[in-house]
Amino acid sequence: QVRLVESGGGLVQPGGSLRLSCAASGSIFSVNDMGWYRQAPGKERELVAVIGGSGGTNYADSMKGRFTIYRDNAKKMVYLQMNTLKPEDTAVYYCNARIAPYRYSVVRDYWGQGTQVTVTS
């Protein structure tokens, strides 16, 4: 069974930084795209950033220049370095990964349980 476990959320002042981590574990043959999404109260879940298996990245416009996504393929981990945080970045951040559990299985989406990020003075 595949699991994604996030860590690194918390409370930070505006202008501060946090680094989120996500570890994939369990029965995994291959990991394709990995990414971060977030959901603020009363809003829909939105893309933050995604990184492909070869390292190509894509960011939501409001995160460009402030957030950096990177991964460690050997450890099956993805990270999100968040700098210059703003109150509007407050949300639950979810890790996502497209994983094939077995050699000939279909690639499917897996989600972590989410980690709260709160930006407030």
Side-chain angles (χ1 to χ4, degrees):
Q1 187 171 355
V2 175
R3 290 186 65 204
L4 297 181
V5 179
E6 302 107 331
S7 60
L11 182 67
V12 64
Q13 292 186 340
S17 298
L18 281 175
R19 188 183 79 157
L20 305 183
S21 301
C22 173
S25 63
S27 175
I28 297 174
F29 174 74
S30 65
V31 183
N32 296 351
D33 292 352
M34 303 185 81
W36 292 92
Y37 291 73
R38 70 185 187 184
Q39 188 166 19
K43 295 188 177 181
E44 294 187 354
R45 190 174 297 189
E46 63 175 350
L47 171 71
V48 175
V50 64
I51 183 167
S54 300
T57 59
N58 187 37
Y59 294 89
D61 287 343
S62 62
M63 288 68 156
K64 289 179 180 177
R66 299 190 300 124
F67 292 6
T68 302
I69 187 170
Y70 57 101
R71 63 191 285 171
D72 184 329
N73 289 334
K75 295 181 179 179
K76 298 184 180 65
M77 294 190 69
V78 63
Y79 305 90
L80 184 69
Q81 178 65 45
M82 304 185 293
N83 297 328
T84 319
L85 283 161
K86 305 175 182 180
E88 52 263 42
D89 294 317
T90 296
V92 177
Y93 285 70
Y94 295 92
C95 175
N96 168 266
R98 306 209 72 228
I99 292 172
Y102 306 102
R103 182 176 180 85
Y104 298 111
S105 63
V106 175
V107 174
R108 55 161 289 193
D109 282 307
Y110 291 86
W111 293 89
Q113 80 287 353
T115 186
Q116 177 70 46
V117 171
T118 302
V119 185
T120 181
S121 55

